[in-house]
């Protein structure tokens, strides 16, 4: 069967740079899935995406489906003919559905009787017949939030489509995609090579585009930009510091990248560095240059043109950035004319949530919660209360209104300008941390406390309003808030009672709504996020359940128990002890005997006496360790009980006929169970 390279290209107006790559990936994935499902074989798949096209090149694509046999089983022979031997409606209907006459049907004998049977070899469809529907379906499934319409066409897409290529080898597959006839014509760089390109073969695609000043591959273009940036920064003795997201976006803005270094007036360095960086990166997609983490008055522009006069490009971008910096300087000056604290009353005008009130009311709750938490942790509360009071005030500044991502950062600058103590100023910025999964945590104790209290107030309040996350919808980012609380406590070593903090938060909401029913919900919700947190670290589910079953209310304590159980599992006797504890659990669960007290005079067998004596000795060893949360050491000591536990179950009948003895032995097992369960329920551990 003939195999050739398949090329599909959708040529458009400039695609959104933040989503172009994801659209390309989704398009390629859908094409491959549909071809595979259709029985079309293929080899290497290469996606392409530039600002003006989404394309995919697939090698060794067969020209048609393989022929395949179609088999269908109809009604039984008994049901297919009446008493006179004439076909019944069921038989005639089956023949009609197969598109044949009765005489073309066969009989299939099985263990359950004879059945009418139809079998035919169906010819495979050609790629020409299949591909138009496959492309249309792939385009239809793309994640486009706001599709556009253009001209008089009753079609839509992320941007207007101007050309379509569908080629199998050297042949154009005739089809119409979104009212555009497929051809072998593509286009190069909008300015360097605007004329149409007639492809002779699908294999020529990327080479022909490169000749026309288009680097079609996303990875290749991204690597080229990285090289240009590195060269330009080294030439001007500067350092680079940018995100992958910025590099990806710029990659999707150009087809033929060229780097140009621009300058700006040193006077603008008096503006906070984060403001200048946000202006350059977010507004202009420039790459700032640094020296020892400090900005220098230079930036790199990745242009989409190989200019014969780079100085013109340089000066043009310098003229663009200057007024933006001047605006930033004006905002910086105006915002400092009023203190951060003076903005508190204005927070009344910003709604947090309809039932929960304004941002001002939220900061009041955070302040009260921070004071409670400091008291519970035996810490001074002045800085935490002050930082909580000020933490949202920069939302009313001109700078944050212009650059929302600078919230907290600008609050720190304004607090420093107002003479607030360093701990308070830093906490205003840090209380937003971590900004995303895996990012840095607050470093100050005040920052950690305000960050936790802010998120607990949000979690309890939103749960109380009935707007908890459902499926993929999480408009208040409660999953991220819960994970932040976990990370700040576990990784940031902030030791507090989570359940009590949630209860206090619910109490502070009593003038708004009854949040008492949300306390356990929020606690369990955070524990579910904790499950995922430990799972990502490779902690087995049964280890997590062994700790969760005893419901520790301190997240740091929970983590210490997890660590102890994981160590316990490395001890050779752990598996048999877990099995013994499971047996103890089952006995205690089934027992109907009241066995709260243990009478040592009723211990008759040597094995139960030995177990009791060893329990008493072990209690003396582990109680001091439990008191300082040395769960690893305590479980290691408890593991030494194995010989006595084994001997007890080998030699002692727990369910003795004498009710008093039975009850006493159950009391002994209850004591043993309580001792083990002080750290975790090891009966949950699987072999």
């Amino acid at each position: 069967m003939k195999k050739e390279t398949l090329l599909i290209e959708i040529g458009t107006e400039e695609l959104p740079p933040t989503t172009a790559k994801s659209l390309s990936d989704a398009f390629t994935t859908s094409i491959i899935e549909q071809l595979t499902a259709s029985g079309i074989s293929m080899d290497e798949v290469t996606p392409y995406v530039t600002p003006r096209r989404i394309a995919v090149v697939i090698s060794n694509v067969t020209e048609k489906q393989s022929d395949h046999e179609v088999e269908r089983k109809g009604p039984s022979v008994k049901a297919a003919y009446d008493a006179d031997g004439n076909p019944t409606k069921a038989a005639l209907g089956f023949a009609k559905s197969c598109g044949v006459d009765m005489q073309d049907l066969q009989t299939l004998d099985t263990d359950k009787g004879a059945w009418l049977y139809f079998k035919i070899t169906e010819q495979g469809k050609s790629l020409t017949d299949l591909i138009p529907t496959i492309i249309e379906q792939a385009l239809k499934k793309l994640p486009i939030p706001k599709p556009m319409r253009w001209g008089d066409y009753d079609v839509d897409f992320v941007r207007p489509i101007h050309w379509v290529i569908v080629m199998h080898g050297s042949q154009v597959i005739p089809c119409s995609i979104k009212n555009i006839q497929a051809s072998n014509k593509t286009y190069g760089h909008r300015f360097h090579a605007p004329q149409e390109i007639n492809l002779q073969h699908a294999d020529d695609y990327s080479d022909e585009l490169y000749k026309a000043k288009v680097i079609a591959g996303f990875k290749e273009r991204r690597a080229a930009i990285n090289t240009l940036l590195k060269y330009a920064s080294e030439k001007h003795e500067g350092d680079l510091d940018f995100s992958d997201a910025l590099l990806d976006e710029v990659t999707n803005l150009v087809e033929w990248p060229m780097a140009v270094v621009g300058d700006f007036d040193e006077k603008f360095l008096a503006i906070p560095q984060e403001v200048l960086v946000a202006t350059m990166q977010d507004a202009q997609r420039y790459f700032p240059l640094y020296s020892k983490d400090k900005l220098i008055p230079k930036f790199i522009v990745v242009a989409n043109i190989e200019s014969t006069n780079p100085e013109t490009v340089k000066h043009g971008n310098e003229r663009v950035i200057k007024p933006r910096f001047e605006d930033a300087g004006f905002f910086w000056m105006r915002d400092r004319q009023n203190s951060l604290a003076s903005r508190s009353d204005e927070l009344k005008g910003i709604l947090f949530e309809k039932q929960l009130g304004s941002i001002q009311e939220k900061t009041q709750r955070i302040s009260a919660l921070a004071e409670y938490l400091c008291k519970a942790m035996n810490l001074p509360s002045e800085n935490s209360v002050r930082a909580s009071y000020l933490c949202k005030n920069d939302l009313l500044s001109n700078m944050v209104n212009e650059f929302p991502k600078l919230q907290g950062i600008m609050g720190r600058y304004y607090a420093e300008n107002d003479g607030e103590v360093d701990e308070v100023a830093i906490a205003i910025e840090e209380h937003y941390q971590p900004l995303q999964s895996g990012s840095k945590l607050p470093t100050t104790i005040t920052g950690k406390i305000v960050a936790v209290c802010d998120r607990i107030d949000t979690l309890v309040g939103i749960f109380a309003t009935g707007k908890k996350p459902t499926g993929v919808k999480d408009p208040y980012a409660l999953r991220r808030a819960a994970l932040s609380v976990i990370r700040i406590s576990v990784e940031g070593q902030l030791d507090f009672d989570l359940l009590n903090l949630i209860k206090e938060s619910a109490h502070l909401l009593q003038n708004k709504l009854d949040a008492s029913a949300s306390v356990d919900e929020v606690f369990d919700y955070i524990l579910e996020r904790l499950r995922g947190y430990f799972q990502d670290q490779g902690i087995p589910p049964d280890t997590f359940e062994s700790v969760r079953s005893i419901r520790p209310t301190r997240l740091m304590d929970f983590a210490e128990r997890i660590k102890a159980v994981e160590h316990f599992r490395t001890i050779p006797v752990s598996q048999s002890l877990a099995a013994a504890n499971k047996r103890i659990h089952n006995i205690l669960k089934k027992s109907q005997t009241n066995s709260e007290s243990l009478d040592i005079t009723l211990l008759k067998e040597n094995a139960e006496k030995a177990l009791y004596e060893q329990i008493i000795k072990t209690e003396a060893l582990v109680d001091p360790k439990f008191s300082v949360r040395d769960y690893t050491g305590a479980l290691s000591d408890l593991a030494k009980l194995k010989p006595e536990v084994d001997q007890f179950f080998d030699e002692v009948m727990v369910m003795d006929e004498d009710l008093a003895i039975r009850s006493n032995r159950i009391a002994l097992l209850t004591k043993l169970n309580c001792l083990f369960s002080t750290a975790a329920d090891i009966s949950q551990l699987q072999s």
Side-chain angles (χ1 to χ4, degrees):
M1 189 180 294
K2 184 181 178 182
K3 295 183 178 182
E4 287 281 8
T5 299
L6 174 65
L7 164 64
I8 304 169
E9 183 189 48
I10 310 297
T12 69
E13 293 183 13
E14 274 68 12
L15 295 165
T18 56
T19 59
K21 178 65 164 55
S22 61
L23 292 174
S24 171
D25 292 342
F27 180 71
T28 299
T29 298
S30 182
I31 293 290
I32 299 309
E33 287 177 350
Q34 291 184 76
L35 286 173
T36 302
S38 299
I40 299 292
S41 66
M42 69 202 82
D43 288 335
E44 187 177 354
V45 179
T46 308
Y48 293 96
V49 58
T50 80
R52 301 174 65 207
R53 74 201 75 229
I54 292 174
V56 60
V57 173
I58 312 168
S59 65
N60 293 325
V61 178
T62 53
E63 63 182 343
K64 64 187 290 288
Q65 295 173 321
S66 300
D67 296 344
H68 58 283
E69 290 187 341
V70 176
E71 299 182 19
R72 294 182 60 188
K73 191 172 80 168
S76 67
V77 172
K78 289 183 179 179
Y81 298 96
D82 59 21
D84 298 325
N86 297 315
T88 62
K89 288 184 178 181
L92 292 171
F94 176 64
K96 184 178 180 180
S97 68
C98 296
V100 297
D101 296 327
M102 281 294 297
Q103 58 266 28
D104 296 320
L105 298 177
Q106 303 173 36
T107 301
L108 177 67
D109 292 319
T110 70
D111 294 339
K112 296 182 179 180
W115 305 80
L116 290 185
Y117 176 71
F118 176 72
K119 181 178 180 180
I120 190 173
T121 300
E122 191 172 273
Q123 298 294 313
K125 292 182 179 179
S126 69
L127 186 64
T128 300
D129 293 332
L130 294 169
I131 203 66
T133 302
I134 287 175
I135 296 173
E136 288 284 5
Q137 286 298 312
L139 294 177
K140 185 177 180 180
K141 293 177 182 177
L142 291 183
I144 303 172
K146 293 183 179 179
M148 295 177 59
R149 294 196 177 200
W150 61 94
D152 296 329
Y153 300 130
D154 188 24
V155 296
D156 53 32
F157 193 54
V158 62
R159 290 292 185 269
I161 297 174
H162 289 293
W163 74 90
V164 173
I165 294 179
V166 185
M167 294 181 69
H168 190 226
S170 59
Q171 300 298 313
V172 174
I173 295 179
C175 60
S176 175
I177 305 297
K178 299 284 188 183
N179 284 347
I180 304 292
Q181 289 296 320
S183 70
N184 66 334
K185 294 179 175 61
T186 188
Y187 294 85
H189 194 281
R190 187 182 290 279
F191 304 113
H192 289 305
Q195 63 276 12
E196 70 181 28
I197 302 168
N198 292 300
L199 294 177
Q200 301 303 308
H201 197 282
D203 287 334
D204 302 335
Y205 179 69
S206 61
D207 290 341
E208 290 297 320
L209 283 179
Y210 191 83
K211 293 176 187 176
K213 303 291 186 180
V214 174
I215 303 175
F218 177 85
K219 290 181 180 179
E220 292 78 6
R221 200 164 63 256
R222 191 179 192 273
I225 293 172
N226 234 338
T227 301
L228 290 168
L229 292 171
K230 184 178 180 182
Y231 175 78
S233 64
E234 290 175 350
K235 183 178 179 180
H236 291 267
E237 299 180 344
D239 301 321
L240 289 164
D241 182 15
F242 55 86
S243 65
D244 287 342
L246 176 62
L247 182 56
D248 289 347
E249 188 172 355
V250 171
T251 301
N252 286 324
L253 282 167
V254 299
E255 292 189 322
W256 192 252
M258 290 292 152
V260 178
V261 178
D263 302 291
F264 61 86
D265 196 318
E266 286 191 17
K267 70 178 183 180
F268 292 121
L269 293 176
I271 301 170
Q273 178 169 302
E274 293 89 344
V275 175
L276 300 179
V277 170
T279 303
M280 287 186 276
Q281 291 186 344
D282 299 353
Q284 298 300 127
R285 278 67 176 178
Y286 295 164
F287 294 85
L289 285 175
Y290 302 82
S291 177
K292 296 179 180 178
D293 297 328
K294 296 293 184 182
L295 272 182
I296 60 176
K298 293 181 181 295
F299 59 88
I300 304 175
V301 180
V302 177
N304 189 31
I305 191 169
E306 190 174 353
S307 176
T308 56
N309 188 359
E311 283 297 309
T312 301
V313 178
K314 174 180 183 295
H315 294 317
N317 283 280
E318 289 172 347
R319 285 196 299 272
V320 169
I321 201 65
K322 182 181 177 182
R324 290 188 175 275
F325 281 168
E326 288 174 342
D327 288 345
F330 176 74
F331 295 149
W332 173 235
M333 180 269 296
R334 285 291 300 272
D335 285 340
R336 288 179 295 160
Q337 290 178 355
N338 298 302
S339 70
L340 196 62
S342 68
R343 301 179 186 274
S344 291
D345 284 345
E346 297 177 58
L347 290 175
K348 292 178 182 177
I350 304 179
L351 185 68
F352 170 56
E353 199 280 333
K354 187 175 181 180
Q355 298 180 65
L356 302 176
S358 67
I359 294 291
Q360 185 193 57
E361 291 172 292
K362 178 174 176 61
T363 58
Q364 290 169 348
R365 292 194 299 269
I366 298 172
S367 297
L369 201 57
E371 185 173 17
Y372 164 84
L373 184 55
C374 288
K375 183 178 180 181
M377 296 177 66
N378 294 316
L379 296 171
S381 62
E382 183 179 355
N383 287 342
S384 296
V385 171
R386 181 65 175 172
S388 300
Y389 174 71
L390 298 173
C391 67
K392 306 295 183 184
N393 288 20
D394 66 344
L395 296 177
L396 295 157
S397 66
N398 292 293
M399 198 72 82
V400 173
N401 183 60
E402 184 72 15
F403 300 105
K405 67 182 290 184
L406 295 182
Q407 60 185 359
I409 294 172
M410 296 314 302
R412 170 173 61 83
Y413 278 111
Y414 298 141
E416 290 171 347
N417 182 73
D418 296 342
E420 301 286 350
V421 298
D422 289 346
E423 182 97 357
V424 169
I426 293 170
I428 291 172
E429 176 181 358
E430 287 188 334
H431 93 281
Y432 284 107
Q433 297 170 356
L435 297 174
Q436 57 191 16
S437 177
S439 63
K440 68 178 181 179
L441 300 172
T443 57
T444 64
I445 188 67
T446 302
K448 294 173 186 177
I449 286 172
V450 180
V452 166
C453 292
D454 182 17
R455 288 164 174 84
I456 290 297
D457 176 76
T458 298
L459 282 159
V460 175
I462 299 303
F463 264 76
T465 64
K467 298 178 181 177
K468 57 186 177 183
T470 55
V472 297
K473 294 183 179 180
D474 186 12
Y476 290 92
L478 299 187
R479 294 185 183 93
R480 190 171 65 193
L483 186 58
S484 295
V485 171
I486 290 166
R487 289 192 60 211
I488 292 170
S489 179
V490 175
E491 298 172 28
Q493 300 289 288
L494 191 69
D495 193 12
F496 61 93
D497 190 302
L498 175 63
L499 185 58
N500 285 342
L501 187 64
I502 293 170
K503 288 177 180 177
E504 181 63 20
S505 179
H507 173 72
L508 292 170
L509 283 163
Q510 62 183 344
N511 66 329
K512 288 291 180 183
L513 72 177
D514 183 5
S516 58
S518 300
V519 170
D520 287 337
E521 268 193 303
V522 173
F523 183 74
D524 289 337
Y525 181 79
I526 293 175
L527 289 193
E528 278 304 303
R529 305 287 80 71
L530 187 64
R531 180 198 301 277
Y533 173 80
F534 283 122
Q535 186 175 342
D536 290 342
Q537 297 179 25
I539 300 300
D542 55 339
T543 293
F544 179 83
E545 286 301 328
S546 72
V547 177
R548 180 173 182 170
S549 64
I550 62 172
R551 205 172 167 81
T553 57
R554 293 175 177 267
L555 296 175
M556 271 187 67
D557 181 54
F558 202 118
E560 290 162 1
R561 292 170 188 267
I562 289 283
K563 182 180 178 181
V565 174
E566 282 295 278
H567 178 267
F568 174 75
R569 299 186 79 147
T570 66
I571 300 173
V573 301
S574 62
Q575 187 172 331
S576 60
L577 275 173
N581 270 262
K582 192 172 297 184
R583 184 175 179 182
I584 292 170
H585 267 244
N586 291 334
I587 291 172
L588 296 179
K589 186 176 180 180
K590 294 177 181 178
S591 172
Q592 302 297 318
T593 307
N594 185 358
S595 52
E596 295 180 357
S597 59
L598 175 65
D599 184 352
I600 59 174
T601 64
L602 293 177
L603 299 175
K604 302 298 184 184
E605 303 291 340
N606 290 333
E608 60 183 333
K609 292 178 182 178
L611 178 59
Y612 172 75
E613 290 171 1
Q614 194 60 37
I615 288 175
I616 298 301
K617 291 178 183 178
T618 305
E619 274 184 332
L621 284 174
V622 300
D623 281 350
K625 294 180 179 179
F626 281 137
S627 66
V628 295
R629 291 177 12 189
D630 178 13
Y631 302 116
T632 300
L635 281 176
S636 296
D637 288 337
L638 288 170
K640 298 172 184 176
L641 282 165
K642 181 183 183 300
E644 286 75 18
V645 172
D646 288 347
Q647 184 183 10
F648 177 85
F649 281 117
D650 286 342
E651 300 179 10
V652 177
M653 174 66 71
V654 176
M655 308 307 285
D656 194 272
E657 291 182 1
D658 187 322
L659 187 59
I661 292 177
R662 180 195 307 177
S663 179
N664 203 58
R665 287 172 180 171
I666 289 174
L668 180 63
L669 293 182
T670 301
K671 188 176 184 66
L672 177 62
N673 180 63
C674 290
L675 191 59
F676 270 99
S677 297
T678 306
D681 179 5
I682 66 170
S683 71
Q684 298 276 350
L685 302 182
Q686 306 298 315
S687 59

